[in-house]
Amino acid sequence: MLGSEDSTGAAPLAGITVLEVGAFMAAPFATMQLADLGATVLKIEVPGAGDPVRTTGPFLEGHSSPFARLNRNKRSVALDLKSEGGREALRRLAAEADVLVENLRPGAMRKLGLDHESLRATAPRLVYASASGWGQDGPLAHLPGLDIMAQARGGLMSITGTPDGEPTKIGVPMCDLVCALYVALAVTAALRERDRTGQGQYIDVSLLEAGVSFAVWEAGKYFATGEVGRPLGSAHQTSAPYQAVRTADGHVTLGAVTPKTWSGLCDVLGLRALHADERYADASRRHAHREALIAEIEDVTRGWTTADLVRALDEAGVPCAPIADYGQVFTDEHLEQRGYFWDAAHPVLGPVRQLGSPMRFSRTPAVRSAAGPLLGEGTAEALRAVGYSESEIRELAAHGAVGLADGDAARPDPSDTREREDPA
């Protein structure tokens, strides 16, 4: 195997080698999950340029801060896939790898002769996953597809925001990210299936279908009644009260949808009359009369500070939370005490603060290793592992087919005396 990890290592995917031919978000976020789980991820990048995220600020010492976080625990292998030398290097890497994840436009890998069908003859055990905007076939497949287009066409933007507001996308690139998570899940499932059959397979995941998969409540309404979902601000689609309500100094989110929590909310706010009102007898009827209900609730909550209301609701066992900005999230005491944030080593930047993996294992914890790699720093090592000699690596580098990190020239080849003359 290409990776140096022993298959008996602590991390769940130790011993699995993943090739990433990706850029921006979907493939890199998917392989970040696999790397966190212990897989050796070789990030295939264009020599001299790399993943375009390397040019995304803010920059520290000339290095992209987002890149150092999105590509943690990976190794960079710089190959020019437009050259035959670079393509052949990828073929040889794929023949020894377990997984390949790519998010180029559909057909791009086929034109390079690096699609699943082309690699399967020499890599029958390879699990090959493609992430794309619209999928590998269908009338939209040939079109470029970014996260915002998937949010738009997949319906998410039609229910996000306020009822009379401008079209609003979800604040994070949700379709990119959930597509990546589906890729990681599918890859782990395919590896498990390979344990039984010995065969790899092809995986096709699209941003569009990943986004549409979220429409659980909307599908429940439409397929039952024909009702089309609309923006509701922070309110729930079917239950109330489940939304943000105004306070004297901001907002508090609350979810009092069970009999117990609804009763608790009424007690805290001194609104026992609402508890006896037939209009509000259950979460569904409360939702049907939501505007009147929230108006009555906010008449009271506007007299509370956010901190006091959260404290009182917490004591009563009513689900609630203040709305935190990311400055508060990234310094949150709860997350700090749980050790969620961690520092990854970087050869230039030193410690780079990382978001933790949400996956917590009792015996095989997620990997906490290095920040995003320098471009090409793993090229020579990866090529040596699949049989390239030092002279072959130097020749490929000289022709631009591969890229090496600064100071990472191939080691001298004992059998090659062509460059061993004494300096003048």
Side-chain angles (χ1 to χ4, degrees), residues 66-130:
F67 182 91
R69 290 163 172 83
L70 179 59
N71 293 283
R72 67 182 181 221
N73 297 330
K74 303 179 187 179
R75 305 173 188 178
S76 173
V77 176
L79 304 180
D80 179 6
L81 299 183
K82 294 182 179 179
S83 73
E84 180 51 38
R87 291 193 294 273
E88 176 57 23
L90 186 66
R91 293 187 193 102
R92 289 172 66 169
L93 290 169
E96 298 293 328
D98 299 284
V99 178
L100 187 151
V101 177
E102 61 93 10
N103 69 331
L104 305 185
R105 192 179 298 189
M109 291 292 276
R110 186 177 303 109
K111 290 179 181 177
L112 295 170
L114 300 172
D115 57 303
H116 177 246
E117 289 298 319
S118 299
L119 296 180
R120 189 166 59 175
T122 55
R125 291 174 52 82
L126 184 69
V127 173
Y128 192 122
S130 295

Side-chain angles (χ1 to χ4, degrees), residues 40 86 100 107 122 126 162 172 180 186-187 190 249 293 344 352-353 357 374:
T40 297
L100 187 151
T122 55
L126 184 69
T162 56
V172 296
V187 163
D249 56 357
L293 171 63
V352 176
R353 197 70 162 162
S357 171
L374 301 179

